[in-house]
Amino acid sequence: MTGGIHLIVPAPFSAISGGYIYDRRMVEGLRALGQEVHVVELAGRHPFPDESATEAARAALAAIPAGARIVIDGLGLPAFFPFADELTRRGATALIHHPTALEPGAAEGQREALKAAERVLFSACVRVITTSTPTARDLPEGFGVDPARISAIEPGTDAAARAVGSAGPGCAILSVGMLVPRKGHDVLLRALARLTDLEWSLAIAGDATRDPVHADGLRALAAELGIAQRVRFLGALPDAALEAEYARADLFALATRYEGYGMAAAEAMARGLPMAITAGGAIAEIVPEDAAVVAAVDDHNALSRAMRRPIFDTGLRAAMAEASWRAGQALPRWPDRAAAFLKALDHG
């Protein structure tokens, strides 16, 4: 085929999230394999497209030469609903981190409309690449996608130094994820508010600009619960600063409502951090049982009970950390993932 690979993604491509990190690492890896890769950034609102987003989608398709391989990030895919037939004609690939219809926070009517659009668009694309096996399993029944057209290419990890911990006093807890409803930071705050008899601190690293109203609500919730003095909201951190937070953490926690994969958890495992998580989406499948305590989604009481022992029991944390480190060293690396992505793109 000619014209290279064109990855279409909502602007800005520099955004800090697991999905954008995956996209950037795939672009880097594909270029290292000798592929010509172009990134096309879409203006407008996503995943609930406004007129600007739809026009950007139309213009993007018009500008990509015939014969080029088109890959559309799932966050921007709904903007292409008016052009579904053209996606089929041009052999487009959908890159699905998780169906955007599953994103909490939107009105039920909006999410139903989005799911209907995604059912059409996923089927319109000639192939679908997901970033986890659980998402690949869910698409045939939930969205009517032919399993033969689905490939699961999980994210990679980089080799990383093992976390050294805070050296106390107390337990330094780290959570990594955008300040949006899906990440469940409110559940984590409520869980920890029941553990004020223990010595702990919480750092939340994540972009607060995606949903500023929710981000402000989290700060207000911490104050309302009487734990604001124990919680640091760090915002989106550059790589070196985030690495320092991983290094000094004693426990990684994420009360997510849904993860297509769980890249932050994988990064924590790569550094040997014990974990406290909720079983939202794929995350519970990548984290071994002996490395984490796991609670049901949205159950802050259960999460609180689960976190109590690893917060005060340093021996248990050390055993969980060892299990996490072993599992983290077996995770796939990014260059291998790029090669698998190219194979799926070329051959399905």
Side-chain angles (χ1 to χ4, degrees), residues 264-273 275 286-288 324-325 327-329 331:
E267 293 294 339
M269 288 166 55
R271 291 156 178 80
L273 281 173
M275 282 177 278
I286 69 167
V287 178
S324 179
W325 175 255
Q329 303 320 293
L331 290 170

Side-chain angles (χ1 to χ4, degrees), residues 142-265:
F143 291 83
V145 184
D146 179 0
R149 296 191 293 106
I150 303 173
S151 300
I153 310 297
E154 295 180 340
T157 56
D158 293 312
R162 189 164 181 171
V164 296
S166 67
C171 179
I173 304 167
L174 174 65
S175 188
V176 179
M178 292 186 297
L179 274 57
V180 296
R182 179 169 60 86
K183 295 297 180 179
H185 296 308
D186 56 317
V187 179
L188 179 59
L189 291 173
R190 293 185 187 279
L192 288 171
R194 297 170 58 88
L195 300 174
T196 53
D197 59 308
L198 302 178
E199 194 165 2
W200 56 264
S201 63
L202 172 65
I204 300 177
D207 185 1
T209 65
R210 184 69 63 86
D211 189 339
V213 173
H214 183 72
D216 288 344
L218 291 173
R219 297 184 186 94
L221 178 61
E224 176 188 328
L225 294 170
I227 59 173
Q229 72 279 9
R230 298 191 186 211
V231 180
R232 293 183 297 142
F233 290 94
L234 306 177
L237 295 179
D239 290 346
L242 181 57
E243 188 62 43
E245 293 295 332
Y246 274 119
R248 70 173 297 276
D250 298 310
L251 180 69
F252 176 85
L254 189 63
T256 183
R257 293 181 167 96
Y258 185 85
E259 292 294 313
Y261 176 71
M263 284 180 61

Side-chain angles (χ1 to χ4, degrees), residues 23-68:
D23 291 357
R24 288 194 294 270
R25 294 303 297 264
M26 285 301 166
V27 168
E28 177 185 320
L30 290 168
R31 287 173 175 166
L33 291 171
Q35 298 297 307
E36 177 187 345
V37 184
H38 307 272
V39 176
V40 181
E41 297 183 72
L42 295 177
R45 184 183 65 216
H46 304 271
F48 300 100
D50 54 11
E51 185 176 342
S52 176
T54 302
E55 173 55 26
R58 184 205 62 76
L61 286 177
I64 295 174

